[in-house]
């Protein structure tokens, strides 16, 4: 268990966290959510003891180990994939050596009855038990299973780590964490470097993991499959929800709506009490009631409505210029690097206005095909033709890393902006959440999400009719992804989208092209149509979906009951308010009537007959009695 108590972190005068407290249970699966820069990655580093908080305490149960995967690694590896992976078994290897040494020692000793021999035998037994407890006997099999699940082929095992991209090296780091089986796993955007199949394998692995998990991810589908608790970091505080991400979104909205409703009702109550106090403040007969209500106001805990961070990027892609009917066409195309062939004998045809998703395991040729289309890679055989007047807008997978780290945010855009765009630079940057102060920051100090937003902003500087996005959602928070998806839905040009984010892809494309075994195969529909046809989703997934349908039906029934109850309460509240208003109007009339009688009584010479008959006194007593009755009823309705 991890106990976080009054944790505070201060960066450059601003609090990232202010006295944050919560507890992580032994089996908790927690999704950390919040906007870019909210402090999610910082919290993971603090839990892994890479950073020290300004104040507060973190208590981790004795013997609990943490395994931490950062967003980026910068290692220098000379070992092979297999050898690097096997370094995960440090304790097992040490135990293995101790067992071998003691076994050899016992084999040459003959003093079977001595205390020394007996102690060595007992030590060997204890070490062997510990070795098997840690899975020492299945190290190789476990390592192979995890590496294959994360997308490596057996032929990759002997290859040197430095031959692989940073993303593949990250997979080895993730494999080592999973094989070490720490009591607490800390993962920062683990799906950024995984393909759809590897993500699904990791989902299944983590769902059955015997330990705690804290996960930072902007992949909704992944969070829903893996987590059962959501901790939102916002404005330096945390809000804890005992549910997965999708249910958190619903509960968060319901909680804020309930808070707002309770706040408004309380404000009405306060206004009515203050009105009563003001009306009867100087009336001796009501002094007790006035004091009672003053005490009630002083004791009342004012309801607060949670702040909601509504800032998000806001943009639309420029209208697509007209182009020919054919956008991209290949026949018998082969692509590769040197003698290494990645795609062979490819026929690909893309027409104006079509929207296509490229999917498949990493290394199967998605980015290679994109590079050929944008002219960064020449075909090994045949040709690739672009249609008439095709203008490409391209967001590369490593686009954020291609930005000049020594330039400011403003200079990055200003250097390539021309014509009418130049006066609008700050407006464009503002729509991507860069304040005037932020525009003077060097690119090197930006977060991963800020770099991604800046790279996207560059796309708005000129119109294009073929938009190619290679993994655009990496490092973007949920709101930014939603805005990007909405902008893509409104884009009227041709689009090629490379992504492993199923939730993001859903509904964006009309065709899915799978890259596998140097070939490209086309499926009609969006990503979930493709997954269904490929039968990647297992029978377990169908059972889960069935449960979700049942849960949804139960939730619908519950929501209906809550709605009906709320409507009944609102109707009663309206009825009560109408009664109060009616009584107040009647009181106003009675006070006017009373004042008129008092005026007549003060003029006996003008109203002598009415006074002599007792008629005015009777009327005065009657109106006083009615006022008292109405006031008592009014007070009872207010209480």
């Amino acid at each position: 268990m991890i106990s976080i108590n009054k944790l505070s972190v201060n960066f450059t005068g601003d609090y990232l966290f202010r006295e944050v407290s919560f507890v992580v249970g032994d089996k908790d699966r927690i999704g950390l959510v919040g906007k870019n820069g909210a402090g999610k990655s910082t919290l993971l580093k603090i839990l892994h003891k890479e950073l020290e908080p300004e104040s507060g305490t973190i208590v981790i149960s004795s013997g609990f180990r943490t395994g931490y995967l950062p967003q980026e690694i910068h290692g220098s590896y000379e070992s092979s994939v297999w050898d690097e992976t096997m370094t995960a078994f440090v304790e097992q290897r040490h135990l293995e050596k101790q067992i071998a040494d003691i076994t050899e020692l016992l084999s040459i000793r003959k003093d079977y009855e001595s205390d020394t021999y007996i102690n060595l035998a007992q030590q060997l037994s204890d070490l062997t038990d510990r070795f098997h407890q840690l899975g020492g006997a299945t190290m190789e099999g476990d390592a192979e299973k995890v590496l294959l699940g994360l997308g490596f082929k057996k032929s990759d095992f002997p290859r040197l780590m430095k031959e692989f991209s940073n993303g593949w090296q990250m997979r080895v780091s993730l494999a080592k964490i999973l094989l070490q089986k720490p009591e607490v796993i800390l993962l920062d955007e683990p799906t950024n470097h995984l393909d759809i199949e590897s993500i699904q394998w990791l989902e299944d692995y983590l769902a059955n993991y015997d330990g705690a998990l804290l996960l930072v991810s902007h992949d909704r589908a992944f969070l829903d499959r893996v987590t059962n608790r959501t901790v939102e970091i916002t404005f330096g505080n945390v809000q804890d929800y005992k549910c997965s991400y999708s249910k958190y979104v619903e509960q968060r909205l319901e909680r804020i709506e309930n808070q707002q409703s309770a706040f408004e009702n309380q404000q009405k109550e306060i206004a009515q009490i203050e009105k009563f106090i003001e009306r009867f403040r100087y009336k001796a007969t009501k002094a007790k009631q006035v004091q009672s209500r003053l005490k009630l106001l002083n004791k009342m805990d004012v309801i607060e409505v949670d702040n909601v961070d509504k800032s998000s990027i806001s943009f639309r892609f420029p209208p697509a210029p007209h182009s020919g009917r054919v956008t991209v066409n290949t026949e018998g195309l082969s692509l590769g690097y040197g003698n290494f062939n990645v795609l062979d004998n490819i026929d690909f045809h893309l027409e104006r206005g079509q929207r296509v998703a490229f999917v498949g395991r990493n290394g199967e040729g998605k980015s290679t095909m994109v590079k050929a289309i944008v002219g960064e890679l020449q075909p090994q055989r045949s040709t690739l033709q672009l249609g008439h007047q095709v203008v490409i807008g391209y967001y590369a997978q490593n686009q954020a890393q291609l930005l000049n780290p020594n330039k400011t945010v403003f200079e990055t855009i200003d250097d390539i902006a021309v014509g009418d765009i130049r006066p609008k630079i700050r407006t464009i940057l503002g729509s991507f959440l860069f304040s005037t102060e932020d525009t003077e920051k060097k690119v090197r100090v930006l977060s991963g999400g800020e770099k991604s937003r800046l790279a996207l902003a560059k796309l708005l500087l000129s119109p294009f009719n073929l938009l190619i996005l290679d993994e655009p959602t990496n490092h973007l928070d949920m709101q930014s992804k939603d805005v990007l998806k909405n902008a893509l839905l409104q884009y009227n040009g041709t689009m090629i989208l490379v992504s492993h984010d199923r939730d993001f892809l859903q509904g964006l494309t009309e065709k899915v092209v799978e890259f596998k075994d140097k070939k490209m195969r086309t499926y009609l529909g969006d990503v979930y149509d493709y997954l269904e046809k490929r039968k990647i989703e297992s029978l377990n997934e169908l059972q889960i979906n069935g449960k979700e349908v049942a849960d949804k039906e139960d939730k619908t029934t519950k929501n209906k009951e809550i709605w009906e109850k709320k409507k009944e309460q609102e109707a009663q509240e309206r009825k009560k308010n109408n009664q109060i208003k009616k009584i107040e109007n009647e009181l106003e009339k009675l006070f006017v009537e009373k004042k008129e009688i008092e005026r007549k009584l003060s003029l006996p010479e003008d109203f002598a007959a009415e006074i002599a008959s007792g008629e005015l006194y009777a009327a005065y007593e009657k109106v006083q009695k009615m006022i008292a009755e109405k006031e008592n009823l009014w007070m009872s309705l207010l209480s």
Side-chain angles (χ1 to χ4, degrees):
M1 185 181 76
I2 301 176
S3 176
I4 300 165
N5 186 40
K6 294 186 176 181
L7 181 73
S8 293
V9 176
N10 187 309
F11 285 150
T12 64
D14 295 324
Y15 275 95
L16 197 58
F17 301 112
R18 188 187 291 272
E19 295 193 345
V20 165
S21 300
F22 65 98
V23 173
V24 180
D26 294 353
K27 307 292 183 182
D28 278 344
R29 304 283 195 277
I30 298 175
L32 292 175
V33 300
K35 292 182 68 66
N36 291 136
K40 304 182 295 295
S41 298
T42 299
L43 180 58
L44 293 187
K45 290 176 182 177
I46 290 173
L47 293 176
H48 194 55
K49 301 189 183 303
E50 283 196 2
L51 289 177
E52 287 293 328
E54 178 181 321
S55 62
T57 59
I58 296 178
V59 179
I60 301 179
S61 297
S62 177
F64 271 36
R65 301 162 298 155
T66 58
Y68 170 55
L69 181 75
Q71 280 192 34
E72 297 178 0
I73 58 171
H74 302 283
S76 178
Y77 303 100
E78 297 298 329
S79 56
S80 68
V81 168
W82 181 258
D83 289 341
E84 182 63 29
T85 303
M86 295 304 289
T87 62
F89 301 107
V90 175
E91 185 177 357
Q92 292 91 328
R93 291 297 196 195
H94 182 62
L95 289 170
E96 197 172 41
K97 186 176 185 308
Q98 285 183 294
I99 290 170
D101 291 343
I102 295 175
T103 299
E104 183 180 357
L105 184 59
L106 289 175
S107 68
I108 60 177
R109 294 182 70 107
K110 304 299 181 184
D111 53 337
Y112 307 119
E113 304 297 328
S114 69
D115 291 341
T116 302
Y117 190 94
I118 293 173
N119 288 337
L120 284 171
Q122 182 60 49
Q123 187 178 353
L124 177 63
S125 176
D126 292 342
L127 291 171
T128 303
D129 288 344
R130 177 63 177 166
F131 180 74
H132 287 293
Q133 181 184 353
L134 293 175
T138 59
M139 286 186 292
E140 286 79 6
D142 291 343
E144 181 177 319
K145 175 183 176 182
V146 171
L147 286 174
L148 292 174
L150 291 176
F152 287 95
K153 300 175 182 177
K154 284 189 177 181
S155 58
D156 293 327
F157 293 177
R159 292 176 58 189
L160 294 178
M161 285 282 291
K162 61 184 179 183
E163 296 178 21
F164 290 87
S165 68
N166 186 264
W168 284 95
Q169 292 178 12
M170 289 284 289
R171 294 189 190 209
V172 175
S173 297
L174 176 57
K176 289 165 61 177
I177 292 171
L178 300 181
L179 292 169
Q180 288 166 353
K181 299 179 181 178
E183 286 72 20
V184 183
I185 292 181
L186 310 171
L187 302 179
D188 196 350
E189 295 288 4
T191 63
N192 276 358
H193 304 285
L194 300 180
D195 51 64
I196 290 177
E197 292 185 37
S198 298
I199 290 173
Q200 290 180 313
W201 178 89
L202 183 61
E203 286 174 349
D204 292 335
Y205 188 96
L206 293 176
N208 298 300
Y209 189 74
D210 187 25
L213 169 69
L214 275 83
L215 166 71
V216 175
S217 179
H218 296 129
D219 185 329
R220 284 183 178 84
F222 185 70
L223 284 170
D224 281 340
R225 285 289 308 277
V226 173
T227 64
N228 56 19
R229 182 177 164 194
T230 302
V231 172
E232 178 190 26
I233 303 176
T234 177
F235 294 106
N237 297 310
V238 300
Q239 296 291 342
D240 199 346
Y241 298 80
K242 312 298 187 204
C243 58
S244 61
Y245 181 81
S246 291
K247 292 183 179 178
Y248 141 76
V249 173
E250 297 174 5
Q251 289 187 16
R252 177 174 177 266
L253 183 60
E254 288 175 5
R255 181 173 62 83
I256 292 175
E257 287 177 348
N258 290 336
Q259 283 180 339
Q260 185 65 39
S261 177
F263 173 78
E264 291 172 357
N265 288 335
Q266 188 184 61
Q267 291 302 305
K268 290 178 183 177
E269 182 183 0
I270 291 172
Q272 289 171 343
I273 293 173
E274 289 176 340
K275 187 174 182 180
F276 177 88
I277 293 170
E278 187 63 30
R279 170 171 284 180
F280 300 111
R281 182 183 295 275
Y282 305 108
K283 191 168 184 178
T285 57
K286 303 296 183 185
K288 189 174 181 180
Q289 290 95 323
V290 168
Q291 289 300 317
S292 174
R293 279 160 177 74
L294 282 170
K295 290 179 181 179
L296 179 63
L297 279 181
N298 291 331
K299 291 180 180 179
M300 188 177 291
D301 292 328
V302 178
I303 296 171
E304 294 182 350
V305 180
D306 287 344
N307 287 322
V308 179
D309 191 348
K310 296 181 179 179
S311 59
S312 64
I313 62 176
S314 174
F315 75 100
R316 294 184 66 173
F317 289 105
H322 183 74
S323 66
R325 184 177 61 84
V326 175
T327 302
V328 180
N329 189 59
T330 74
E331 292 181 5
L333 179 70
S334 293
L335 296 171
Y337 304 90
N339 295 325
F340 181 65
N341 183 241
V342 179
L343 294 171
D344 186 51
N345 198 28
I346 298 297
D347 295 336
F348 178 65
H349 186 76
L350 183 66
E351 294 194 359
R352 181 183 62 232
Q354 288 186 329
R355 308 160 76 89
V356 178
F358 283 1
V359 302
R361 296 167 72 95
N362 288 354
E364 292 286 355
K366 302 186 298 295
S367 295
T368 299
M369 185 65 179
V370 165
K371 289 177 181 179
I373 293 173
V374 300
E376 292 183 2
L377 180 67
Q378 294 301 312
Q380 292 177 326
R381 187 174 70 246
S382 188
T383 59
L384 183 151
Q385 295 178 330
L386 297 180
H388 180 61
Q389 292 185 331
V390 169
V391 181
I392 298 176
Y394 176 42
Y395 180 97
Q397 186 173 143
N398 61 337
Q399 191 74 47
Q401 283 71 46
L402 295 177
L403 299 171
N404 188 330
N406 297 315
K407 289 186 177 180
T408 66
V409 171
F410 183 85
E411 289 169 345
T412 300
I413 302 298
D414 187 51
D415 284 352
I416 56 176
V418 294
D420 295 338
I421 292 292
R422 297 204 70 200
K424 302 177 183 177
I425 291 177
R426 293 196 185 277
T427 302
I428 292 173
L429 290 173
S431 70
F432 282 84
L433 301 186
F434 290 105
S435 65
T436 302
E437 184 180 86
D438 291 335
T439 61
E440 301 307 318
K441 288 181 179 179
K442 296 287 188 181
V443 169
R444 63 172 174 267
V445 304
L446 300 180
S447 68
E450 288 172 327
K451 290 177 182 176
S452 295
R453 296 204 307 267
L454 181 58
L456 281 172
K458 292 177 66 177
L459 280 179
L460 300 186
L461 300 182
S462 58
F464 41 80
N465 45 38
L466 172 57
L467 176 60
I468 303 177
L469 302 177
D470 193 352
E471 299 292 2
T473 62
N474 287 355
H475 306 298
L476 289 182
D477 58 39
M478 297 291 190
Q479 283 182 282
S480 298
K481 281 169 53 177
D482 287 343
V483 173
L484 174 59
K485 183 170 182 176
N486 185 57
L488 291 174
L489 286 169
Q490 297 179 63
Y491 175 64
N492 63 343
T494 310
M495 184 171 69
I496 296 175
L497 186 56
V498 183
S499 178
H500 57 256
D501 190 324
R502 293 155 293 177
D503 180 76
F504 179 75
L505 282 174
Q506 185 178 21
L508 274 179
T509 61
E510 60 201 32
K511 288 198 299 187
V512 173
V513 177
E514 181 190 38
F515 288 69
K516 187 176 182 181
D517 298 329
K518 301 183 180 182
K519 301 295 182 183
M520 294 167 59
R521 183 181 175 188
T522 300
Y523 296 81
L524 295 179
D526 73 1
V527 65
Y528 282 103
D529 295 321
Y530 155 73
L531 289 174
E532 183 178 352
K533 291 171 185 175
R534 285 276 284 109
K535 297 182 180 179
I536 293 177
E537 300 289 3
S538 63
L539 290 176
N540 290 335
E541 181 77 2
L542 294 178
Q543 292 172 0
I544 290 171
N545 287 340
K547 183 177 182 299
E548 288 176 348
V549 170
D551 289 345
K552 187 174 182 181
E553 291 174 350
D554 291 341
K555 180 174 176 56
T556 300
T557 302
K558 184 178 179 181
N559 285 344
K560 184 178 180 181
E561 292 173 354
I562 293 172
W563 181 81
E564 289 175 346
K565 185 177 180 181
K566 183 178 179 182
K567 296 299 287 184
E568 182 181 351
Q569 290 173 342
E570 289 175 348
Q572 291 175 350
E573 187 70 22
R574 283 195 300 271
K575 182 179 178 181
K576 180 180 176 181
N577 289 335
N578 289 336
Q579 285 180 299
I580 291 172
K581 188 173 181 180
K582 181 181 178 182
I583 292 171
E584 287 176 343
N585 291 334
E586 290 173 346
L587 279 169
E588 291 292 338
K589 293 178 181 178
L590 288 170
F591 282 128
V592 170
E593 186 178 344
K594 178 186 173 186
K595 190 173 181 180
E596 176 62 19
I597 295 173
E598 288 173 342
R599 186 184 69 81
K600 290 180 178 180
L601 287 171
S602 67
L603 300 170
E605 64 278 7
D606 295 334
F607 301 96
E610 291 178 79
I611 293 174
S613 67
E615 182 182 337
L616 278 179
Y617 289 110
Y620 189 74
E621 288 180 4
K622 181 180 178 182
V623 77
Q624 279 191 311
K625 183 179 179 181
M626 291 177 67
I627 287 173
E629 289 174 353
K630 295 294 182 183
E631 284 181 346
N632 288 333
L633 180 57
W634 185 72
M635 285 188 291
S636 67
L637 288 171
L638 287 177
S639 60

